[in-house]
Amino acid sequence: MKIGNVLYPVRDVDRAVAFYRDGLGLAVKFTDGGRFAALDAGGTTFALAGPAEDVTGGHPAASFKVPDVTAAVERLTAAGARLVGGPDEGPHETRAVLLDPDGNPLVVYAPR
Protein backbone atom coordinates (compact mmCIF):
# COMPACT_ATOMS: atom_id res chain seq x y z
CA MET A 1 0.00 0.00 0.00
CA LYS A 2 1.24 3.49 -0.78
CA ILE A 3 -0.08 7.02 -0.95
CA GLY A 4 -1.26 7.27 -4.52
CA ASN A 5 -2.16 10.94 -4.28
CA VAL A 6 -3.10 13.80 -2.04
CA LEU A 7 -6.57 14.91 -3.10
CA TYR A 8 -7.77 18.51 -2.92
CA PRO A 9 -11.37 19.33 -3.84
CA VAL A 10 -11.62 22.53 -5.91
CA ARG A 11 -14.45 24.56 -7.42
CA ASP A 12 -12.64 25.18 -10.73
CA VAL A 13 -10.12 22.61 -11.94
CA ASP A 14 -8.63 24.83 -14.68
CA ARG A 15 -8.06 27.70 -12.26
CA ALA A 16 -6.53 25.36 -9.66
CA VAL A 17 -4.24 23.74 -12.25
CA ALA A 18 -3.00 27.17 -13.33
CA PHE A 19 -2.42 28.18 -9.71
CA TYR A 20 -0.38 25.11 -8.73
CA ARG A 21 1.39 24.87 -12.10
CA ASP A 22 2.35 28.54 -12.27
CA GLY A 23 2.69 29.21 -8.54
CA LEU A 24 4.61 26.09 -7.49
CA GLY A 25 5.91 24.85 -10.83
CA LEU A 26 4.13 21.49 -10.58
CA ALA A 27 4.07 19.63 -13.88
CA VAL A 28 0.64 18.58 -15.14
CA LYS A 29 0.44 14.81 -15.58
CA PHE A 30 -3.09 14.77 -17.01
CA THR A 31 -6.47 16.43 -16.83
CA ASP A 32 -9.98 15.09 -17.31
CA GLY A 33 -11.84 18.24 -18.28
CA GLY A 34 -13.32 20.04 -15.30
CA ARG A 35 -13.56 16.79 -13.33
CA PHE A 36 -10.02 16.00 -12.25
CA ALA A 37 -6.35 16.85 -12.72
CA ALA A 38 -3.15 15.18 -11.58
CA LEU A 39 0.06 17.14 -11.04
CA ASP A 40 3.53 15.84 -10.21
CA ALA A 41 4.61 16.99 -6.75
CA GLY A 42 8.07 15.41 -6.74
CA GLY A 43 7.07 11.77 -6.86
CA THR A 44 3.68 12.16 -5.21
CA THR A 45 0.62 12.98 -7.26
CA PHE A 46 -1.20 16.12 -6.20
CA ALA A 47 -4.78 15.57 -7.37
CA LEU A 48 -7.41 18.23 -7.92
CA ALA A 49 -11.02 17.06 -7.86
CA GLY A 50 -13.71 19.25 -9.37
CA PRO A 51 -17.26 19.25 -8.00
CA ALA A 52 -18.23 16.12 -9.97
CA GLU A 53 -15.32 14.18 -8.41
CA ASP A 54 -15.43 15.59 -4.87
CA VAL A 55 -15.85 12.35 -2.95
CA THR A 56 -14.64 13.74 0.40
CA GLY A 57 -17.24 16.43 1.02
CA GLY A 58 -14.90 19.35 0.40
CA HIS A 59 -12.08 18.07 2.62
CA PRO A 60 -8.52 17.31 1.50
CA ALA A 61 -7.60 13.66 1.90
CA ALA A 62 -4.80 11.21 1.30
CA SER A 63 -5.67 8.56 -1.26
CA PHE A 64 -4.07 5.16 -0.83
CA LYS A 65 -3.54 2.89 -3.83
CA VAL A 66 -4.35 -0.67 -2.80
CA PRO A 67 -4.53 -3.97 -4.68
CA ASP A 68 -8.08 -4.75 -3.49
CA VAL A 69 -10.47 -2.01 -2.40
CA THR A 70 -12.99 -4.36 -0.75
CA ALA A 71 -10.28 -6.06 1.34
CA ALA A 72 -8.82 -2.69 2.35
CA VAL A 73 -12.27 -1.45 3.42
CA GLU A 74 -12.76 -4.60 5.52
CA ARG A 75 -9.39 -4.14 7.26
CA LEU A 76 -9.94 -0.43 7.85
CA THR A 77 -13.46 -0.80 9.24
CA ALA A 78 -12.27 -3.60 11.51
CA ALA A 79 -9.59 -1.20 12.76
CA GLY A 80 -12.16 1.50 13.56
CA ALA A 81 -12.81 3.42 10.32
CA ARG A 82 -16.32 4.28 9.15
CA LEU A 83 -17.22 3.68 5.53
CA VAL A 84 -18.99 6.74 4.08
CA GLY A 85 -18.95 5.95 0.36
CA GLY A 86 -18.39 3.01 -1.93
CA PRO A 87 -16.76 0.99 -3.05
CA ASP A 88 -17.82 2.67 -6.30
CA GLU A 89 -16.60 2.54 -9.86
CA GLY A 90 -15.20 5.97 -10.76
CA PRO A 91 -14.20 7.01 -14.26
CA HIS A 92 -10.65 5.72 -13.75
CA GLU A 93 -10.70 3.51 -10.66
CA THR A 94 -12.68 1.67 -8.02
CA ARG A 95 -12.68 3.71 -4.81
CA ALA A 96 -14.11 3.92 -1.32
CA VAL A 97 -14.17 6.83 1.11
CA LEU A 98 -13.79 6.28 4.83
CA LEU A 99 -13.37 8.35 7.98
CA ASP A 100 -10.58 7.41 10.35
CA PRO A 101 -11.37 7.16 14.09
CA ASP A 102 -10.81 10.94 14.42
CA GLY A 103 -13.17 11.78 11.54
CA ASN A 104 -10.50 12.52 8.91
CA PRO A 105 -11.41 11.38 5.39
CA LEU A 106 -9.25 8.95 3.44
CA VAL A 107 -9.71 7.28 0.09
CA VAL A 108 -8.64 3.79 -0.94
CA TYR A 109 -8.57 3.05 -4.64
CA ALA A 110 -7.42 0.60 -7.27
CA PRO A 111 -7.17 1.14 -11.03
CA ARG A 112 -9.93 -0.47 -13.07
Side-chain angles (χ1 to χ4, degrees):
M1 188 176 315
K2 69 174 194 164
I3 290 181
N5 64 66
V6 176
L7 179 67
Y8 268 43
V10 297
R11 290 185 303 274
D12 183 322
V13 171
D14 292 334
R15 182 186 66 206
V17 165
F19 175 80
Y20 287 104
R21 181 194 62 220
D22 300 344
L24 288 176
L26 301 183
V28 178
K29 295 168 72 171
F30 76 89
T31 61
D32 184 4
R35 297 177 64 88
F36 185 84
L39 294 92
D40 183 359
T44 299
T45 297
F46 183 68
L48 302 168
E53 288 295 313
D54 178 9
V55 297
T56 61
H59 301 283
S63 297
F64 294 88
K65 186 175 183 179
V66 298
D68 182 329
V69 172
T70 301
V73 166
E74 289 172 3
R75 286 191 310 276
L76 287 162
T77 55
R82 182 168 57 95
L83 180 65
V84 295
D88 295 317
E89 294 291 324
H92 305 284
E93 75 284 321
T94 301
R95 64 183 172 223
V97 181
L98 302 102
L99 298 177
D100 73 10
D102 289 305
N104 300 302
L106 65 130
V107 177
V108 292
Y109 74 97
R112 293 196 322 171

